[in-house]
């Protein structure tokens, strides 16, 4: 960022917000370049980068699954205000069920 932008004046790149946005866009690339350089000089960091990346991707995917597939979350209140009532008795909504066989369940709740 130029000195004129720091002082609150308009510099050659534009106003302060544009300079900050440009700096933020460049910092993402800088971070990956620095990680690449660190991995080349210290190969023992490669498993750390792989596991942290895999954990981040897995956590993000699970969060998306909870937001989109869980019956407790209602995205459309007008057309489907109670989505948990529309689940069939054999519908599995849990990610992993230890002792429950969903194919053998019968309907034990009233219709609304």
């Amino acid at each position: 960022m130029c000195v004129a932008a720091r002082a609150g004046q308009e510099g050659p790149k534009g106003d302060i917000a544009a300079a900050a946005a440009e700096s933020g866009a460049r910092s993402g690339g800088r971070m990956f370049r620095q990680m690449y350089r660190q991995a080349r000089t210290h190969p023992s960091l490669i498993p750390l980068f792989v596991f942290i990346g895999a954990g981040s991707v897995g956590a993000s995917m699970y969060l998306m699954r909870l937001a989109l597939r869980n019956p407790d979350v209602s995205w459309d209140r007008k057309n489907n205000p109670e989505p948990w009532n529309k689940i069939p008795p054999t519908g599995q909504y849990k990610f992993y069920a230890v002792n429950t066989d969903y194919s053998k369940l019968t309907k034990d709740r009233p219709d609304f």
Side-chain angles (χ1 to χ4, degrees), residues 43-87:
S44 60
L45 290 176
I46 293 173
L48 177 72
F49 292 150
V50 168
F51 284 110
I52 287 178
S56 300
V57 168
S60 300
M61 289 176 64
Y62 185 66
L63 185 65
M64 285 183 5
R65 182 190 181 278
L66 283 177
L68 298 175
R69 305 280 297 171
N70 197 346
D72 295 334
V73 178
S74 177
W75 290 97
D76 187 13
R77 286 181 156 181
K78 193 174 287 185
N79 296 326
N80 191 9
E82 297 174 341
W84 49 88
N85 286 333
K86 299 206 189 279
I87 299 173

Side-chain angles (χ1 to χ4, degrees), residues 2 17 40-41 43 57 86 88 93 103:
C2 66
R40 286 192 49 111
T41 56
V57 168
K86 299 206 189 279
Y93 68 91
S103 64

